[in-house]
Amino acid sequence: MNLIIDAGNTFVKIGVFDKSQIVYKETIEHHNFIEAIAKVKNEYASITHAIISSVSDLKHSSMEYLKNRFNTLVVDHLVEMPFKNLYKTPNTLGIDRLALVAAAVDQFPKENVLIIDAGTCITYDFKNSDEEYLGGAIAPGIRLRYTSLNNFTAKLPLLNPKYPKNHVGDSTKEAIHSGVINGILYEINGVVEEYCNIYPDLTVILTGGDAHFLSKRLKNGIFATSNFLLEGLNYILAFNNSR
C-alpha cells in the first residue's frame, strides 16, 4: 500500500492507496501532520512506500518523521515523470501541476487533456496525445479574487463565495458575487472553447477545492473529480518504483 501526501498552501491532503484504488482520504492542517501520519501508520500497517508533493514550507521535523517511517519519494523537478515535459522553465513549475498531468497520462492515455485545478489559484495544464506536457495558464482563484477586491479598495467588503442571483448585481454585494463568480465561469468556459477550437477531441478535467462549487454552473462535458492530484502522485510513485 502507498501513502500519498499533497501539502498545499493551506491544507495537507493525505490518501492511502491499495495499488490504484484509494481506500482512505483525509484533509488536515499543517500543524496536525505528525499526529495524522502516526494515525494512518497505525491503521494501515501494510504501507511501505510514501510520496509527498509540497508547494508550501512543510516543517523539517514533519518531513523527517515521514522519511524515517516509510520509503519516501519527495517529488521535485528531477523525479522521473511518465510524460515529456516541454515547459521552458521546469524548475519553476509547481509540483502539484506535474502530478495532475501524470494523472491525465495514466487515466487518459494518448488523449488531448486539459486539467483545470480550481484552488487558491486556478491552473490550466495541457498534455497532448503524444504524452507531451506543453504548459498552460495560472489565474487567481475564487478566494483570491474576493480578497483582492477587499484589500486593494477602500470600501468593498470581504465576502464569502456565493452564486449570484443573476448577471446584473443590484447591490454592491451582488455586484461582487456576479463579478467574481460569473467572471470565473466565463473565463473557464472561454479557455475550454479556445482549446476545443484547436483540439476538437479534447478531454477536460476539473479538480481542486472549488471544483464542486464551480461544476454546477459550467457547461456539460467537463469531468469533475476530487482525487485527481492524489491519483497522479500515486501513479508517479508506481512509475518510479517500476524503473
Side-chain angles (χ1 to χ4, degrees), residues 146 149 155-157 159 169-179:
Y146 278 109
L149 288 174
K155 296 184 179 180
L156 292 181
L159 305 177
D170 58 4
S171 68
T172 297
K173 289 184 178 181
E174 283 300 315
I176 291 173
H177 290 311
S178 179

Side-chain angles (χ1 to χ4, degrees), residues 135-154:
I138 304 172
I142 292 178
R143 284 158 187 80
L144 269 179
R145 300 189 194 205
Y146 278 109
T147 303
S148 295
L149 288 174
N150 175 247
N151 286 346
F152 295 103
T153 64

Side-chain angles (χ1 to χ4, degrees), residues 44-118:
Y44 297 93
S46 57
I47 294 175
T48 56
H49 290 74
I51 183 171
I52 181 166
S53 159
S54 179
V55 299
S56 60
D57 293 326
L58 196 66
K59 286 184 178 180
H60 178 75
S61 58
S62 296
M63 192 69 78
E64 289 303 306
Y65 184 90
L66 183 70
K67 291 179 178 179
N68 289 337
R69 284 156 181 80
F70 305 100
N71 186 340
T72 302
L73 176 64
V74 179
V75 183
D76 59 23
H77 302 95
L78 300 178
V79 169
E80 292 288 336
M81 293 291 161
F83 54 87
K84 186 174 182 180
N85 189 350
L86 299 182
Y87 207 65
K88 290 184 177 179
T89 55
N91 59 311
T92 67
L93 181 61
I95 302 302
D96 51 340
R97 297 174 68 187
L98 292 173
L100 293 171
V101 177
V105 171
D106 179 35
Q107 299 180 34
F108 302 94
K110 303 301 180 181
E111 294 185 28
N112 296 309
V113 182
L114 176 66
I115 312 111
I116 305 170
D117 184 10

